[in-house]
Amino acid sequence: LVWNLRDEQWENGYQHLVAYKAEYGDCNVRQDYDTPDGFRLGDWVTEKRGAYRSRKLSAKHSHLLEELGLVWDPKDELWENGYRHLIAYKAEYGDCDVKSGYVAQDGFRLSQWVGVQRSTSGRGTISTERTQRLVDLGLVWDPLDEKWDNGYQHLVAYKAEYGDCHVKRGYVAQDGFKLAQWVSVQRGAYRRRKLSAEHIQQLEDLGLVWDVFGTAWENGYQHLVAYKAEYADCHAKSDYEAQDGY
């Protein structure tokens, strides 16, 4: 004789969920899932979630399901799944710069998930908690800004070593960064008016010259002015070099 039929039904469903987790490793039961003995576990889990949202699930049952690992909002579980994949990616590659089209070994489309997070951040529809967790993990919201900053830091290092921003054609930094190419891209963007005012200011403050040929000509002209001031004419010998090596 069963004194409380509801408790027995609940226990039956709970044990089926325990068995499901033991087999699959989680409680992410599809709504249409039936166990081998015919128990409609997907419907049972959906019912418990509904009861939880309407505050009709007892504290005891809520606690048991949470301890087992049931997520009340499946959308939250989807997000957590993506976050776990991003953690694994960083552990393997050292950063969160997920390549376009990247798919994890289990088929999870991580690059797509990261793209969604960046998009929701841009629209302001991602929670503060999730934003902080992603920032703490090292996700960059705007990869283009990060790439620009990387190039800028290489140019800063170049100037610290050589004293100017006149990066030689084909110059590559020790870490393999193609600095000459990066500088050329910035000059091209400046000419097409595609470079932001902030980036223009940063580069000008650092000492980057936009018109290389114009500056080279002006430099030569100033040396000729100095030569005339010293020798009273412009008849510089073919092998003449100024004191600064020009």
Side-chain angles (χ1 to χ4, degrees):
L1 180 64
V2 178
W3 297 109
N4 193 324
L5 184 59
R6 286 185 178 180
D7 278 352
E8 184 184 39
Q9 289 173 339
W10 193 93
E11 188 64 30
N12 184 33
Y14 179 76
Q15 291 305 324
H16 275 92
L17 187 57
V18 169
Y20 181 94
K21 184 178 181 181
E23 184 173 356
Y24 296 104
D26 57 48
C27 297
N28 304 326
V29 186
R30 297 194 315 271
Q31 188 167 354
D32 61 352
Y33 178 81
D34 292 349
T35 64
D37 64 2
F39 184 80
R40 295 184 174 180
L41 184 57
D43 287 342
W44 186 85
V45 168
T46 299
E47 181 186 320
K48 299 311 148 198
R49 284 177 171 144
Y52 176 83
R53 286 194 298 271
S54 60
R55 299 183 180 179
K56 292 182 179 178
L57 192 64
S58 70
K60 174 186 174 182
H61 288 172
S62 297
H63 181 68
L64 285 171
L65 291 172
E66 286 173 353
E67 281 198 326
L68 189 58
L70 181 66
V71 176
W72 300 117
D73 187 344
K75 290 181 181 179
D76 283 346
E77 176 56 29
L78 289 174
W79 193 90
E80 292 295 339
N81 185 33
Y83 184 73
R84 286 192 294 269
H85 277 87
L86 188 57
I87 289 174
Y89 183 95
K90 184 177 182 181
E92 184 173 355
Y93 297 103
D95 57 48
C96 296
D97 303 330
V98 183
K99 296 178 182 178
S100 177
Y102 177 84
V103 178
Q105 289 183 342
D106 63 0
F108 184 82
R109 298 183 177 182
L110 184 57
S111 67
Q112 182 177 322
W113 184 86
V114 168
V116 169
Q117 307 317 304
R118 286 176 172 143
S119 177
T120 54
S121 173
R123 296 195 304 269
T125 56
I126 189 172
S127 70
T128 303
E129 182 220 354
R130 288 181 178 177
T131 298
Q132 192 59 53
R133 288 172 67 185
L134 291 170
V135 168
D136 289 345
L137 189 59
L139 182 66
V140 176
W141 297 116
D142 190 339
L144 294 178
D145 272 354
E146 184 185 39
K147 289 179 180 177
W148 194 91
D149 285 337
N150 184 33
Y152 179 76
Q153 291 306 321
H154 276 89
L155 187 58
V156 169
Y158 182 94
K159 184 178 181 181
E161 184 173 356
Y162 297 103
D164 57 48
C165 296
H166 308 323
V167 183
K168 296 177 182 178
R169 180 178 295 181
Y171 178 84
V172 178
Q174 289 183 343
D175 62 0
F177 184 82
K178 297 179 178 180
L179 183 58
Q181 182 177 319
W182 184 85
V183 168
S184 178
V185 169
Q186 305 316 306
R187 285 179 172 138
Y190 175 82
R191 287 193 297 271
R192 298 191 305 274
R193 299 183 180 180
K194 296 287 181 68
L195 197 61
S196 71
E198 178 189 357
H199 288 171
I200 290 172
Q201 191 64 53
Q202 284 181 266
L203 292 171
E204 289 180 346
D205 288 347
L206 190 60
L208 182 66
V209 175
W210 300 116
D211 185 351
V212 182
F213 297 109
T215 301
W217 189 91
E218 187 63 33
N219 187 30
Y221 179 75
Q222 292 304 323
H223 277 88
L224 185 59
V225 168
Y227 181 94
K228 183 176 182 181
E230 185 173 354
Y231 298 104
D233 60 46
C234 297
H235 307 317
K237 296 180 180 179
S238 60
D239 59 351
Y240 177 82
E241 288 187 10
Q243 289 183 342
D244 63 1
Y246 184 83

